[in-house]
Amino acid sequence: MAALISKEGAGPNALSRELHSTPPFAEVHSCLRGVSKVYPERAGNPALHALGPIDLDLKKGEFFAVVGPSGCGKSTLLEVLAGLSNVTEGTVTFEGNAITGRVPDGVGVVFQEDASFPWLTVWDNLAFGLRRRGMDAGSIRSRVKDALALTGLSDFAKAYPAQLSGGMRQRVCIARTLVTEPRLILLDEPFGALDQQTRLLMGDEVLRLWRETGATILLITHALDEAAMLADRVGAMSSRPGRFLDVIETNWPKDRDSRIASAESFGRITGRLWSLLRNESRNAMGAAAGKLK
Amino acid sequence: MTRANLLQIAVFAALFGLLELGTQMGWISRFTIIPPSEMVTGAYNLFASGKIVPDFVSTMWSVIVASLLAIATGFVAGAMVHSLPQLRRTLDPFFASYYAVPIFAFYPLFIFIFGLTDIPKMIIAYFYAVVAMMINTMNGLDRMPAVYSKTARVLRMSGTAKTFWVTLPAAMPYVFTGVKLAIAYAFLGTIAAEFILSTSGLGHAISFAYLNFDNNGLYSNILIVLTLSVVLNMVLFYWERILLTRRGLA
């Protein structure tokens, strides 16, 4: 198994330099430069500096995971990348174009919550976005059929989400994203509500889909093992305001699956991530406890 | 048919049978209540002779007009108030106490304005129904998961498309409860208004029979009103059941 490449001692500035020195062969797909997000004062609550300043280059076709303590701004980072939230400072680009308050074409998001529409069958859930785009019926049929096959949902096309398990509903959401053929897929803790075994199997499926679609994936997760198992690079974030403490390259082969968890270097990666995040998580817990007082 | 359904039918049949027996045997005075079999015959005769038809049409017309108006305006007003939190906070006490207001107190005023037509009872029925529709619309919109809005944005849908294809279907179970209540309140408002001063309708027919000591007419009309309301409710309950079962909420 390829050795872990760690950048010990690299602070945000060192990391920023490293990110800027992305090898020329790796095409930058999505890019954050000096991005900060501050939620303004509202209804008596003080302004909240949630994120940044942060720099990040997502390389085309890579699988990037983000881990960090609760409330560190992971989901804010995803929303900024998706165009669901505007930045306070800095720039966000996707395929060279600035993202300004609208989700760009080619970006798909899978949320932690069940976002399948309960009033539609699995088939109609998948076809929903394509119909809204005015795509012709033949193309919709072919795309939905492919996505159902790819996610193993072909036998459940006529079922309603309420008839499916939590894991299968999340698969519906993934398939609904895939059917739009996104080039950048953002996953916001999509397996957060699933049990450990299902999470591992879903992780395998996401890896397979990533290989088959060639899309760039950014995964937000609080599970260090999940990040270490799935990603090419794992960004560890500090407590709020979230900044990257370090980015760890896993150097896994592309055809990996969950069995990689038994590799010797897997333990080293998760150990390294935990050593980075332990104090940050304590800080975050302390802040939360202080808030309760 | 489930066991519970069979039990419900058995209880109903037993009560019906007891009442029939009690009235036929003279245990219960016929001046108090007539045998159910005579109510059924009387109701049938009212329809067969065509005597009830104008009253039936008048009541149904009022219920339909008031319900449709209440559903349409209640939904739009509910959606509007939902989108204006400041206005909603102002109106909340009004919604909370609305059904404590005796709307019937205004009936003479409506008659004064509109005369002895069908309009006053339609207005009463409308005011009974509209707030139930508004409250349930707001409730439905409140309960729409925020992730549906985000999904609509990711799918690059316009505001109108989102309202039509996401918000409305998501709120539908609660909106449907509003529809159900609006129809029930419109029915209640119409019948009650017909009791007071109206010159037509099933409520008026009951009141007229009561004032003329016509027990047969009184109970036959009551049976018609009860049957109508039960059938209406069963149809709406059936649709609601389908809607909720599909979403795993039943």
Short mmCIF file of all heavy atoms in Angstrom, two decimals, chain A residues 93-127:
data_model
loop_
_atom_site.label_atom_id
_atom_site.label_comp_id
_atom_site.label_asym_id
_atom_site.label_seq_id
_atom_site.Cartn_x
_atom_site.Cartn_y
_atom_site.Cartn_z
N THR A 93 -14.65 29.72 -7.52
CA THR A 93 -14.86 29.47 -8.95
C THR A 93 -15.11 27.99 -9.19
O THR A 93 -14.64 27.13 -8.45
CB THR A 93 -13.65 29.91 -9.80
OG1 THR A 93 -12.49 29.20 -9.34
CG2 THR A 93 -13.41 31.40 -9.73
N PHE A 94 -15.89 27.72 -10.23
CA PHE A 94 -16.12 26.35 -10.68
C PHE A 94 -15.85 26.32 -12.19
O PHE A 94 -16.45 27.10 -12.93
CB PHE A 94 -17.56 25.92 -10.38
CG PHE A 94 -17.95 24.60 -10.98
CD1 PHE A 94 -17.31 23.43 -10.60
CD2 PHE A 94 -18.94 24.53 -11.95
CE1 PHE A 94 -17.66 22.20 -11.16
CE2 PHE A 94 -19.29 23.32 -12.52
CZ PHE A 94 -18.65 22.16 -12.12
N GLU A 95 -14.91 25.50 -12.59
CA GLU A 95 -14.49 25.40 -13.99
C GLU A 95 -14.11 26.79 -14.54
O GLU A 95 -14.48 27.14 -15.67
CB GLU A 95 -15.57 24.72 -14.83
CG GLU A 95 -15.79 23.28 -14.39
CD GLU A 95 -16.89 22.56 -15.15
OE1 GLU A 95 -17.74 23.23 -15.75
OE2 GLU A 95 -16.87 21.31 -15.13
N GLY A 96 -13.48 27.57 -13.69
CA GLY A 96 -12.97 28.87 -14.11
C GLY A 96 -13.97 30.01 -14.01
O GLY A 96 -13.61 31.17 -14.19
N ASN A 97 -15.25 29.69 -13.73
CA ASN A 97 -16.27 30.75 -13.64
C ASN A 97 -16.61 31.03 -12.19
O ASN A 97 -16.78 30.10 -11.39
CB ASN A 97 -17.54 30.33 -14.38
CG ASN A 97 -17.27 30.05 -15.84
OD1 ASN A 97 -16.64 30.85 -16.54
ND2 ASN A 97 -17.69 28.88 -16.30
N ALA A 98 -16.73 32.32 -11.86
CA ALA A 98 -17.06 32.70 -10.49
C ALA A 98 -18.48 32.25 -10.14
O ALA A 98 -19.38 32.32 -10.97
CB ALA A 98 -16.94 34.21 -10.33
N ILE A 99 -18.63 31.75 -8.92
CA ILE A 99 -19.97 31.34 -8.45
C ILE A 99 -20.58 32.52 -7.72
O ILE A 99 -20.02 33.03 -6.76
CB ILE A 99 -19.87 30.12 -7.50
CG1 ILE A 99 -19.29 28.92 -8.25
CG2 ILE A 99 -21.23 29.78 -6.91
CD1 ILE A 99 -19.03 27.72 -7.38
N THR A 100 -21.72 32.97 -8.20
CA THR A 100 -22.34 34.15 -7.59
C THR A 100 -23.81 33.89 -7.30
O THR A 100 -24.68 34.15 -8.13
CB THR A 100 -22.23 35.38 -8.52
OG1 THR A 100 -22.64 34.97 -9.83
CG2 THR A 100 -20.83 35.95 -8.57
N GLY A 101 -24.05 33.34 -6.13
CA GLY A 101 -25.42 33.23 -5.63
C GLY A 101 -26.34 32.26 -6.36
O GLY A 101 -27.53 32.24 -6.09
N ARG A 102 -25.81 31.47 -7.26
CA ARG A 102 -26.65 30.49 -7.95
C ARG A 102 -25.85 29.21 -8.13
O ARG A 102 -24.64 29.26 -8.36
CB ARG A 102 -27.07 31.05 -9.31
CG ARG A 102 -28.18 30.23 -9.92
CD ARG A 102 -29.02 30.98 -10.92
NE ARG A 102 -30.17 30.16 -11.27
CZ ARG A 102 -30.45 29.74 -12.50
NH1 ARG A 102 -29.68 30.11 -13.50
NH2 ARG A 102 -31.48 28.99 -12.74
N VAL A 103 -26.51 28.07 -7.98
CA VAL A 103 -25.81 26.80 -8.14
C VAL A 103 -25.45 26.65 -9.60
O VAL A 103 -26.32 26.70 -10.47
CB VAL A 103 -26.70 25.61 -7.67
CG1 VAL A 103 -25.95 24.30 -7.83
CG2 VAL A 103 -27.12 25.81 -6.22
N PRO A 104 -24.15 26.48 -9.91
CA PRO A 104 -23.78 26.39 -11.34
C PRO A 104 -24.21 25.07 -11.97
O PRO A 104 -24.38 24.08 -11.26
CB PRO A 104 -22.24 26.50 -11.31
CG PRO A 104 -21.83 26.56 -9.91
CD PRO A 104 -23.00 26.37 -9.03
N ASP A 105 -24.39 25.11 -13.25
CA ASP A 105 -24.72 23.88 -13.99
C ASP A 105 -23.54 22.93 -13.86
O ASP A 105 -22.39 23.36 -14.00
CB ASP A 105 -24.97 24.23 -15.46
CG ASP A 105 -25.52 23.04 -16.22
OD1 ASP A 105 -26.17 22.20 -15.59
OD2 ASP A 105 -25.27 22.96 -17.44
N GLY A 106 -23.80 21.66 -13.57
CA GLY A 106 -22.71 20.70 -13.45
C GLY A 106 -22.35 20.39 -12.01
O GLY A 106 -21.44 19.60 -11.75
N VAL A 107 -23.06 21.03 -11.06
CA VAL A 107 -22.81 20.74 -9.64
C VAL A 107 -24.03 20.00 -9.07
O VAL A 107 -25.16 20.42 -9.26
CB VAL A 107 -22.56 22.04 -8.84
CG1 VAL A 107 -22.46 21.75 -7.35
CG2 VAL A 107 -21.30 22.73 -9.32
N GLY A 108 -23.76 18.89 -8.39
CA GLY A 108 -24.83 18.14 -7.73
C GLY A 108 -24.52 18.04 -6.25
O GLY A 108 -23.36 17.98 -5.86
N VAL A 109 -25.58 18.07 -5.43
CA VAL A 109 -25.38 18.01 -3.97
C VAL A 109 -26.26 16.90 -3.38
O VAL A 109 -27.43 16.78 -3.74
CB VAL A 109 -25.75 19.35 -3.30
CG1 VAL A 109 -25.42 19.30 -1.80
CG2 VAL A 109 -25.02 20.52 -3.95
N VAL A 110 -25.66 16.10 -2.51
CA VAL A 110 -26.44 15.13 -1.73
C VAL A 110 -26.35 15.56 -0.27
O VAL A 110 -25.26 15.72 0.26
CB VAL A 110 -25.89 13.69 -1.90
CG1 VAL A 110 -26.72 12.71 -1.07
CG2 VAL A 110 -25.90 13.28 -3.36
N PHE A 111 -27.50 15.79 0.34
CA PHE A 111 -27.54 16.31 1.71
C PHE A 111 -27.61 15.18 2.73
O PHE A 111 -27.95 14.04 2.41
CB PHE A 111 -28.75 17.23 1.88
CG PHE A 111 -28.71 18.43 0.96
CD1 PHE A 111 -29.43 18.45 -0.21
CD2 PHE A 111 -27.92 19.53 1.28
CE1 PHE A 111 -29.40 19.54 -1.06
CE2 PHE A 111 -27.87 20.63 0.43
CZ PHE A 111 -28.62 20.63 -0.75
N GLN A 112 -27.32 15.55 3.98
CA GLN A 112 -27.39 14.56 5.06
C GLN A 112 -28.83 14.13 5.29
O GLN A 112 -29.11 12.95 5.50
CB GLN A 112 -26.83 15.18 6.35
CG GLN A 112 -26.87 14.21 7.52
CD GLN A 112 -26.31 14.82 8.80
OE1 GLN A 112 -26.05 16.00 8.87
NE2 GLN A 112 -26.14 14.00 9.80
N GLU A 113 -29.75 15.09 5.25
CA GLU A 113 -31.16 14.77 5.48
C GLU A 113 -31.73 14.05 4.26
O GLU A 113 -31.22 14.20 3.17
CB GLU A 113 -31.97 16.06 5.71
CG GLU A 113 -31.47 16.95 6.81
CD GLU A 113 -30.57 18.06 6.27
OE1 GLU A 113 -29.79 17.79 5.33
OE2 GLU A 113 -30.64 19.17 6.80
N ASP A 114 -32.79 13.30 4.51
CA ASP A 114 -33.47 12.62 3.42
C ASP A 114 -34.17 13.67 2.56
O ASP A 114 -35.12 14.30 3.01
CB ASP A 114 -34.48 11.63 4.01
CG ASP A 114 -35.34 10.98 2.94
OD1 ASP A 114 -34.92 11.01 1.76
OD2 ASP A 114 -36.41 10.45 3.29
N ALA A 115 -33.68 13.84 1.34
CA ALA A 115 -34.25 14.87 0.46
C ALA A 115 -35.09 14.26 -0.65
O ALA A 115 -35.50 14.95 -1.58
CB ALA A 115 -33.13 15.72 -0.13
N SER A 116 -35.36 12.94 -0.55
CA SER A 116 -36.22 12.33 -1.57
C SER A 116 -37.63 12.87 -1.37
O SER A 116 -38.06 13.10 -0.24
CB SER A 116 -36.20 10.80 -1.46
OG SER A 116 -36.67 10.40 -0.19
N PHE A 117 -38.33 13.09 -2.47
CA PHE A 117 -39.68 13.65 -2.38
C PHE A 117 -40.68 12.51 -2.12
O PHE A 117 -40.83 11.63 -2.99
CB PHE A 117 -40.05 14.39 -3.66
CG PHE A 117 -39.20 15.63 -3.91
CD1 PHE A 117 -38.82 15.98 -5.20
CD2 PHE A 117 -38.80 16.43 -2.85
CE1 PHE A 117 -38.04 17.11 -5.43
CE2 PHE A 117 -38.03 17.57 -3.07
CZ PHE A 117 -37.64 17.90 -4.35
N PRO A 118 -41.35 12.51 -0.98
CA PRO A 118 -42.20 11.36 -0.62
C PRO A 118 -43.44 11.22 -1.48
O PRO A 118 -44.07 10.17 -1.46
CB PRO A 118 -42.58 11.65 0.84
CG PRO A 118 -42.39 13.11 1.03
CD PRO A 118 -41.31 13.53 0.09
N TRP A 119 -43.79 12.26 -2.23
CA TRP A 119 -45.01 12.17 -3.05
C TRP A 119 -44.72 11.60 -4.44
O TRP A 119 -45.61 11.42 -5.25
CB TRP A 119 -45.67 13.54 -3.18
CG TRP A 119 -44.83 14.61 -3.82
CD1 TRP A 119 -44.77 14.93 -5.14
CD2 TRP A 119 -43.93 15.50 -3.15
NE1 TRP A 119 -43.89 15.96 -5.33
CE2 TRP A 119 -43.36 16.33 -4.13
CE3 TRP A 119 -43.54 15.65 -1.82
CZ2 TRP A 119 -42.42 17.32 -3.82
CZ3 TRP A 119 -42.62 16.63 -1.52
CH2 TRP A 119 -42.07 17.45 -2.50
N LEU A 120 -43.44 11.32 -4.71
CA LEU A 120 -43.06 10.77 -6.02
C LEU A 120 -42.47 9.37 -5.87
O LEU A 120 -41.84 9.08 -4.86
CB LEU A 120 -42.02 11.67 -6.69
CG LEU A 120 -42.42 13.11 -7.01
CD1 LEU A 120 -41.22 13.87 -7.56
CD2 LEU A 120 -43.56 13.14 -8.01
N THR A 121 -42.68 8.55 -6.89
CA THR A 121 -42.04 7.23 -6.88
C THR A 121 -40.53 7.43 -7.09
O THR A 121 -40.08 8.53 -7.44
CB THR A 121 -42.57 6.34 -8.02
OG1 THR A 121 -42.26 7.01 -9.27
CG2 THR A 121 -44.07 6.10 -7.91
N VAL A 122 -39.78 6.35 -6.90
CA VAL A 122 -38.32 6.43 -7.10
C VAL A 122 -38.03 6.92 -8.52
O VAL A 122 -37.20 7.81 -8.74
CB VAL A 122 -37.67 5.05 -6.84
CG1 VAL A 122 -36.22 5.03 -7.29
CG2 VAL A 122 -37.78 4.70 -5.35
N TRP A 123 -38.74 6.35 -9.48
CA TRP A 123 -38.54 6.74 -10.88
C TRP A 123 -38.78 8.24 -11.07
O TRP A 123 -37.95 8.95 -11.65
CB TRP A 123 -39.48 5.94 -11.80
CG TRP A 123 -39.33 6.32 -13.25
CD1 TRP A 123 -39.83 7.43 -13.85
CD2 TRP A 123 -38.60 5.61 -14.27
NE1 TRP A 123 -39.47 7.47 -15.17
CE2 TRP A 123 -38.72 6.37 -15.47
CE3 TRP A 123 -37.88 4.41 -14.29
CZ2 TRP A 123 -38.15 5.96 -16.66
CZ3 TRP A 123 -37.30 4.00 -15.49
CH2 TRP A 123 -37.43 4.77 -16.65
N ASP A 124 -39.92 8.71 -10.53
CA ASP A 124 -40.26 10.12 -10.71
C ASP A 124 -39.31 11.05 -9.93
O ASP A 124 -39.08 12.18 -10.35
CB ASP A 124 -41.71 10.37 -10.29
CG ASP A 124 -42.69 9.78 -11.29
OD1 ASP A 124 -42.34 9.71 -12.48
OD2 ASP A 124 -43.79 9.37 -10.90
N ASN A 125 -38.80 10.56 -8.80
CA ASN A 125 -37.80 11.34 -8.07
C ASN A 125 -36.57 11.57 -8.94
O ASN A 125 -36.03 12.67 -8.99
CB ASN A 125 -37.38 10.60 -6.79
CG ASN A 125 -38.04 11.16 -5.55
OD1 ASN A 125 -37.70 12.25 -5.10
ND2 ASN A 125 -39.00 10.43 -5.02
N LEU A 126 -36.15 10.51 -9.64
CA LEU A 126 -34.96 10.62 -10.48
C LEU A 126 -35.22 11.50 -11.71
O LEU A 126 -34.35 12.26 -12.14
CB LEU A 126 -34.48 9.22 -10.93
CG LEU A 126 -33.42 8.58 -10.04
CD1 LEU A 126 -33.94 8.33 -8.63
CD2 LEU A 126 -32.92 7.28 -10.63
N ALA A 127 -36.44 11.35 -12.24
CA ALA A 127 -36.77 12.11 -13.46
C ALA A 127 -37.08 13.57 -13.15
O ALA A 127 -37.08 14.41 -14.07
CB ALA A 127 -37.96 11.45 -14.15
#
